[in-house]
Amino acid sequence: MIPERQRVPILDVDATPMRVHEVIAAMGGLIAAGTTATVLGHNLHSITLLHSRPDVRSLYGNSSMVLLDGAPVAMLWGLAHKRQLQPLGEGTMAYRLGSMDWIPELGKVNGLERIAVVGAGRAANTKAVARLRSIIPGATVDGMPGEGWDSTLEDAVVDWLTDFRPQVVLLGLGMPLQETVLHRRLADMPPAVYCAVGGAIEQAAGIQKLAPRWLGRLGLEWAWRLVLHPGRVAYRVFVEPWKLASLLIRRRFQLSKTKGK
């Protein structure tokens, strides 16, 4: 059962806070339903995109599950909904889930027999497929790399998914490309649970080193990523929060003007 959306104050977004076992149970329900569903995550980067891009806003608004991916998002939600802050226990940070918190538990999803892995380079995709086969023995797992993504590759992936007919699709093209593809092509793809997982394919493959999970529960995973990938992460850590603050202030100002009329 998927819980109702809850508001994350200050950031002006809604999410479906869930723990790992709840995600796994909900995915089993979505597979049993046999309809198209999406599983997304909210961090400061996704929220910046949501407040600046209508396509991202639409995708998140219609998503089946929006998990609390970023520590600041989880903390603001927890404070608003009076969850006790216990980073290493069953407090707010138990609801802070990156993709690699629940992907290793996919073997517990009832009825999961066919999985597609789309994204990353060929070597990473192949290794991630192999790991998932070990996590879910007996399941059919296959993949298509996403390197050099263009309209031709996108069409080929849609055709491949149509033939393969997976129940779960792990789509790791990076943000916002994976969200753009979902918004643009979801109606063209077969019914499945489509999960936007960012760099988790490389992490599952062991190519991108995953931060210790205890570090994520302390809200310090950004520091780990900054040390390992400064060129990729510095903008998100030092610049993007200011951009998001500007968007939120502008949004509040526009709302107040609308109410004043």
Side-chain angles (χ1 to χ4, degrees):
M1 181 177 177
I2 301 174
E4 292 184 2
R5 295 282 184 100
Q6 295 185 17
R7 196 69 173 168
V8 181
I10 300 176
L11 300 176
D12 285 341
V13 295
D14 296 318
T16 44
M18 302 173 75
R19 291 164 292 182
V20 172
H21 70 276
E22 294 167 326
V23 173
I24 296 305
M27 289 185 72
L30 292 172
I31 289 171
T35 57
T36 296
T38 55
V39 178
L40 310 176
H42 253 328
N43 52 39
L44 294 184
H45 184 44
S46 70
I47 294 171
T48 302
L49 291 167
L50 181 146
H51 287 308
S52 57
R53 290 183 46 164
D55 58 337
V56 175
R57 186 179 307 115
S58 174
L59 180 69
Y60 272 83
N62 293 304
S63 181
S64 309
M65 289 189 275
V66 181
L67 305 177
L68 300 172
D69 182 18
V73 185
M75 288 177 178
L76 286 171
W77 165 77
L79 289 171
H81 296 276
K82 304 188 185 306
R83 298 281 179 179
Q84 187 179 2
L85 288 174
Q86 297 176 336
L88 297 180
E90 280 292 305
T92 295
M93 297 312 262
Y95 292 82
R96 187 266 170 186
L97 300 182
S99 298
M100 285 305 294
D101 288 309
W102 55 263
I103 286 177
E105 302 299 314
L106 284 175
K108 299 175 183 177
V109 176
N110 290 333
L112 181 52
E113 299 174 349
R114 299 177 68 80
I115 307 161
V117 181
V118 178
R122 185 169 299 279
N125 190 282
T126 300
K127 290 180 179 179
V129 166
R131 181 174 178 188
L132 281 164
R133 287 173 178 165
S134 69
I135 290 172
I136 318 168
T140 301
V141 185
D142 207 346
M144 280 195 72
E147 200 170 33
W149 192 272
D150 57 15
S151 59
T152 301
L153 179 54
E154 183 171 305
D155 288 340
V157 167
V158 171
D159 290 343
W160 174 71
L161 289 172
T162 301
D163 292 337
F164 183 39
R165 302 198 69 80
Q167 296 162 300
V168 169
V169 178
L170 303 181
L171 183 64
L173 301 175
M175 188 179 288
L177 178 56
Q178 61 198 12
E179 288 76 17
T180 301
V181 170
L182 284 175
H183 181 264
R184 183 169 57 220
R185 302 303 298 269
L186 198 58
D188 301 327
M189 296 190 287
V193 182
Y194 291 87
C195 309
V197 299
I201 294 176
E202 290 188 342
Q203 292 168 351
I207 291 176
Q208 186 182 126
K209 195 169 184 181
L210 184 66
R213 304 325 293 148
W214 62 266
L215 200 61
R217 293 188 181 93
L218 290 172
L220 295 174
E221 190 168 338
W222 62 269
W224 174 275
R225 292 179 178 176
L226 183 62
V227 170
L228 291 183
H229 309 285
R232 186 189 307 175
V233 178
Y235 176 83
R236 291 191 185 184
V237 171
F238 298 116
V239 179
E240 195 165 58
W242 296 103
K243 180 180 178 181
L244 175 57
S246 174
L247 288 168
L248 291 171
I249 291 170
R250 189 182 313 154
R251 177 179 169 83
R252 294 287 177 87
F253 179 70
Q254 290 171 343
L255 288 174
S256 64
K257 282 182 64 177
T258 301
K259 290 179 181 179
K261 289 183 179 179

